[in-house]
Amino acid sequence: ARDADSVSCRIACHPHPLTPTRMATPKRASKRASRKSGSLSAKAGLDMPVGRIGSQLRRARYAARVSPSASVYIAAVAEYLVKEILDASIRGLGTKKGGSRRITPRLLTLAVRCDSDLGALLKDVTLSRGGVVPHVSKALERKAKRSKKAGKRSSATPRV
């Protein structure tokens, strides 16, 4: 009877030597395995420097404490806006007839002012060396059309 009990105890208490057993691992080793190597920008999948933005936030003393995710959020928003502005200016560059492939401040200004969302966001912003959007008042257009018509009438009537 003892042999049968000892065999059943061995099976129940001690698993088969080929079955995997879970071993206790120290917390440090598990933390090291879970960490990704690389910059914060690479971890977030961004091109903007997340670490530099975070250090600028802390240095500027906007608050006593700054969350680590705050710099990631600001970097993501800034990267999105930059890509939108460049995309709009590249679309404007494609419609341009000339052979110039350079993005100038003038082209950025025209792209921002012609886009409704970017124009609303940057309505109070002045871009250096950007100029203004060409616009002729309707009142001036009417006068110009009338003066041309008036000139034709006067030339058609004989002068006395």
Side-chain angles (χ1 to χ4, degrees):
R2 275 188 160 179
D3 292 332
D5 289 335
S6 64
V7 170
S8 65
C9 180
R10 281 186 213 152
I11 294 173
C13 297
H14 305 289
H16 192 269
L18 296 179
T19 58
T21 57
R22 183 175 275 190
M23 297 182 69
T25 55
K27 289 185 179 181
R28 291 179 185 171
S30 64
K31 283 185 181 178
R32 284 184 198 147
S34 66
R35 279 189 199 162
K36 289 183 181 178
S37 62
S39 66
L40 291 173
S41 299
K43 289 177 189 175
L46 298 172
D47 293 328
M48 289 275 183
V50 174
R52 185 176 297 173
I53 290 173
S55 64
Q56 293 292 331
L57 280 174
R58 287 189 297 277
R59 192 177 302 140
R61 306 295 290 168
Y62 292 113
R65 297 167 63 188
V66 177
S67 169
S69 61
S71 58
V72 175
Y73 181 78
I74 291 175
V77 169
E79 184 173 324
Y80 172 74
L81 288 175
V82 167
K83 286 185 179 181
E84 282 293 317
I85 291 171
L86 287 177
D87 184 45
S89 62
I90 288 172
R91 274 188 269 132
L93 189 65
T95 59
K96 200 174 177 181
K97 301 265 179 166
S100 175
R101 302 293 296 169
R102 183 173 292 169
I103 296 175
T104 59
R106 173 73 178 155
L107 190 63
L108 286 174
T109 301
L110 291 175
V112 166
R113 300 298 176 227
C114 291
D115 188 71
S116 61
D117 295 332
L118 289 174
L121 181 68
L122 302 173
K123 65 182 176 187
D124 297 328
V125 174
T126 302
L127 296 173
S128 176
R129 308 286 295 167
V132 295
V133 177
H135 177 71
V136 178
S137 176
K138 289 184 179 181
L140 293 175
E141 283 183 8
R142 289 179 190 159
K143 286 183 180 178
K145 289 179 182 177
R146 286 180 186 166
S147 64
K148 287 180 183 177
K149 289 180 182 178
K152 289 180 183 177
R153 286 181 190 164
S154 63
S155 63
T157 57
R159 290 186 181 181
V160 178

